[in-house]
């Protein structure tokens, strides 16, 4: 029997996790040096309160979870005779997966017959979310974790994410985005346009002046790269910017048809600590990243 895991950096909610049977690994953020674990320290993410906290000047930090924490998630499954399949956010963005593999080395010595399979979505937030959903659909249709791992070898790179940040100070502080320095400039109202590369890293690929221009830039990427988008999940994510997200959705439906099904997702607080409020992004099935 397989137990499926994902983590909160994929924007998963307990409701969606329950739909597919995922167990959730909570990725923490720190406020005033105190760690906060999503869906452990609270049942529901109050996104408005969180992003208002960022607007007030608080900038949370993030940190990897420890080897011991991974053992606490995984050992009960191995001890019960279950194998583990984990669909997670990009390993290229954090040291946390080094800790995970140390934990697995320890557990495999204790439970040599147990299997562990993983899919690295090479994304975070809505890019990971769309892949978690697509994989959930495959599993519900009867595909095995082994078959999904083979599917992922080619298909993960056929999902893409583009987004813009509204306030450069959050990314300036985080240092998580390649090429962001060239985007900064000294201009007020500059929005960096960022995507997830095939290496699973956030890369700044340009900038736009003003939110409307930034939304149009995202739309252009969807039009250029979108592949069979109506037969896959299409996600509009935001960091407490519901009106902008609705505008983005209206633009997408104008381009692809009013029957385009769009799911709105609020960026999780751990990733949101780096992005800041008022940003918008899209994730969709694509020709390539």
């Amino acid at each position: 029997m397989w137990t499926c895991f994902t983590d909160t950096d994929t924007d998963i909610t307990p409701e969606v996790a329950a739909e597919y049977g995922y167990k959730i690994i909570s990725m923490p953020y720190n406020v005033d040096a105190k760690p906060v674990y999503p869906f452990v320290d609270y049942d529901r993410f109050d996104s408005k309160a969180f992003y208002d906290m960022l607007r007030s000047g608080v900038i949370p930090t993030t940190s990897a979870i420890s080897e011991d924490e991974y053992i606490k998630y995984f050992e009960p499954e191995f001890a019960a005779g279950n194998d583990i399949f984990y669909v997670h956010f990009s390993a290229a963005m954090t040291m946390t997966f080094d800790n995970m593999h140390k934990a697995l080395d320890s557990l495999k010595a204790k439970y040599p017959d147990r299997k562990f399979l993983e899919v690295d979505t090479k994304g975070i937030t809505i890019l990971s979310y769309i892949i978690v959903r697509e994989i959930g659909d495959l599993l519900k249709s009867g595909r095995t974790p082994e078959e999904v791992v083979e599917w992922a070898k080619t298909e993960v790179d056929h999902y893409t994410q583009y987004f813009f940040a509204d306030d450069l100070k959050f990314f300036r502080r985080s240092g998580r985005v390649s090429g962001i320095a060239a985007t900064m400039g000294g201009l007020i109202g500059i929005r960096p346009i960022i995507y997830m590369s095939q290496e699973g890293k956030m890369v700044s690929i340009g900038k736009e002046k003003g939110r409307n221009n930034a939304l149009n830039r995202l739309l252009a990427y969807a039009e250029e790269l979108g592949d069979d988008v109506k037969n896959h999940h299409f996600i509009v994510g935001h960091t407490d910017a519901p009106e902008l997200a609705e505008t983005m959705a209206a633009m997408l439906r104008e381009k692809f048809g009013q029957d385009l099904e769009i799911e709105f997702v609020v960026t999780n607080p751990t990733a949101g600590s780096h992005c800041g409020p008022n940003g918008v992004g899209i994730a969709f099935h694509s020709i390539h990243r």
Side-chain angles (χ1 to χ4, degrees), residues 121-147:
T121 62
K122 298 194 289 186
I124 197 168
T125 68
I126 56 173
L127 178 53
S128 294
Y129 181 83
I130 194 173
I131 295 172
V132 164
R133 267 206 178 273
E134 297 278 4
I135 287 175
D137 291 339
L138 291 172
L139 294 170
K140 287 177 71 173
S141 74
R143 302 282 283 274
T144 65
E146 291 93 342
E147 290 171 330

Side-chain angles (χ1 to χ4, degrees), residues 78-144:
F78 284 163
N82 299 327
D83 299 317
I84 291 173
F85 178 43
Y86 180 17
V87 186
H88 58 73
F89 77 102
S90 176
M93 295 186 66
T94 175
M95 296 293 291
T96 194
F97 295 107
D98 292 339
N99 294 338
M100 181 187 78
H101 286 291
K102 289 176 184 177
L104 286 169
D105 288 343
S106 173
L107 289 170
K108 286 177 180 178
K110 191 173 179 180
Y111 305 96
D113 295 331
R114 298 278 54 84
K115 297 177 183 177
F116 178 88
L117 293 177
E118 62 185 299
V119 169
D120 184 344
T121 62
K122 298 194 289 186
I124 197 168
T125 68
I126 56 173
L127 178 53
S128 294
Y129 181 83
I130 194 173
I131 295 172
V132 164
R133 267 206 178 273
E134 297 278 4
I135 287 175
D137 291 339
L138 291 172
L139 294 170
K140 287 177 71 173
S141 74
R143 302 282 283 274
T144 65

